[in-house]
Amino acid sequence: MEFFKSLVGGRIKYLLLTILIFVIGTCGFSVGMDVWREWRTPPEQIVGEALMYAVEAPIYSYQSEACRISNGETQVISRLHGEKNGENVHLSGTVDVVDSTVEVYQIGDTFYRQDIVSGSWMEMSGYDAEATERLLQEIDPLGCLVYDANAEVTELEKERVQNVKCRKFQVRSSGESTFLTSVWSEFYYTLWVDKARRLQQVEVIAGDHENSEEQLKLQVVFDWNTPVEEIHAPV
């Protein structure tokens, strides 16, 4: 009887060991396949998917800061907080170069701006709506995240952003934004992309057309985890 127990017990131990090795091997194979797929995916595709996700994602928020660097001195242009929920967008913050605050809502195809003097809200239509849309394009940092298809993409060393491990890429491009390219040229994008291929942080540096000593620096930090309440018209 003792021999039988010892034999059965030994077999069970070996069976459990075999199962454990199989489970570990399967997990290791799965992780290895994920790494292999990531390694085989071209950097251009990863960056493109991350940018597309930022455009199409239904809910997220972000913080941005834009600066002008001239002769080694830094001047803050704007500090903005943006939120998106579905088709609706809320953008608020300060535009330091004109020493004023800005707050804009886009509810579907309708724009709302707050009057700086009276504080009252105005629904934009016709020419005013077009002007507001141009303003939104000019101050919204996400408008900078568009570049031409022939841009050079280089993968750099991995880094952590907001405690998230990211792959880091640099993109050199002439830019696609009409407003920005009228003043700035030679855009250098640095993008931090997480495992889910979402942008965690973006830094854009561009040179001035006429003054080689002057640069634009824009930094955008994304928040995919904090809930964004439904965005409604302010009036």
Side-chain angles (χ1 to χ4, degrees):
M1 181 63 70
E2 290 297 326
F3 172 76
F4 177 76
K5 288 181 179 179
S6 175
L7 179 63
V8 172
R11 288 183 176 178
I12 290 175
K13 284 190 290 185
Y14 280 114
L15 176 62
L16 292 175
L17 180 61
T18 302
I19 292 173
L20 179 61
I21 292 173
F22 175 76
V23 170
I24 293 174
T26 303
C27 292
F29 177 76
S30 176
V31 172
M33 285 297 292
D34 288 342
V35 172
W36 183 71
R37 289 192 191 100
E38 284 294 307
W39 178 76
R40 287 187 72 248
T41 305
E44 294 82 0
Q45 180 179 332
I46 295 173
V47 170
E49 290 180 7
L51 291 173
M52 186 59 67
Y53 187 90
V55 173
E56 297 182 346
I59 297 176
Y60 61 89
S61 61
Y62 59 87
Q63 302 280 350
S64 74
E65 181 178 272
C67 300
R68 185 190 302 270
I69 303 172
S70 180
N71 297 317
E73 296 185 0
T74 301
Q75 177 191 18
V76 176
I77 299 174
S78 65
R79 292 186 178 93
L80 300 170
H81 173 73
E83 294 179 320
K84 179 186 177 185
N85 189 321
E87 295 183 350
N88 302 335
V89 176
H90 177 214
L91 191 65
S92 62
T94 59
V95 181
D96 293 26
V97 288
V98 292
D99 192 25
S100 68
T101 60
V102 62
E103 189 162 13
V104 178
Y105 283 84
Q106 180 182 356
I107 308 300
D109 294 327
T110 305
F111 292 90
Y112 299 85
R113 289 179 62 182
Q114 188 173 34
D115 184 79
I116 298 175
V117 179
S118 67
S120 60
W121 287 95
M122 302 174 291
E123 180 178 333
M124 301 293 104
S125 60
Y127 174 79
D128 289 335
E130 292 180 7
T132 301
E133 186 173 5
R134 285 199 302 272
L135 171 67
L136 190 62
Q137 291 173 351
E138 292 171 7
I139 65 176
D140 185 355
L142 299 189
C144 299
L145 305 185
V146 181
Y147 58 84
D148 63 82
N150 297 319
E152 302 173 21
V153 181
T154 305
E155 183 164 7
L156 307 176
E157 294 293 327
K158 293 179 180 177
E159 288 184 357
R160 283 189 172 272
V161 175
Q162 305 182 89
N163 205 32
V164 177
K165 189 175 182 180
C166 297
R167 295 176 71 176
K168 184 179 178 182
F169 301 90
Q170 187 176 76
V171 181
R172 181 180 178 182
S173 170
S174 58
E176 282 289 301
S177 170
T178 303
F179 168 74
L180 289 174
T181 52
S182 65
V183 182
W184 308 97
S185 61
E186 285 301 311
F187 289 76
Y188 289 88
Y189 302 77
T190 305
L191 306 96
W192 289 260
V193 181
D194 66 17
K195 187 177 181 181
R197 298 194 181 174
R198 301 175 302 186
L199 295 172
Q200 288 292 331
Q201 182 173 304
V202 177
E203 183 179 272
V204 182
I205 296 178
D208 187 276
H209 275 309
E210 300 178 353
N211 184 357
S212 60
E213 298 297 321
E214 191 164 318
Q215 289 182 321
L216 167 72
K217 181 179 180 181
L218 170 69
Q219 186 176 65
V220 186
V221 178
F222 290 84
D223 183 350
W224 303 101
N225 301 317
T226 303
V228 176
E229 296 181 359
E230 288 189 15
I231 300 172
H232 302 286
V235 291

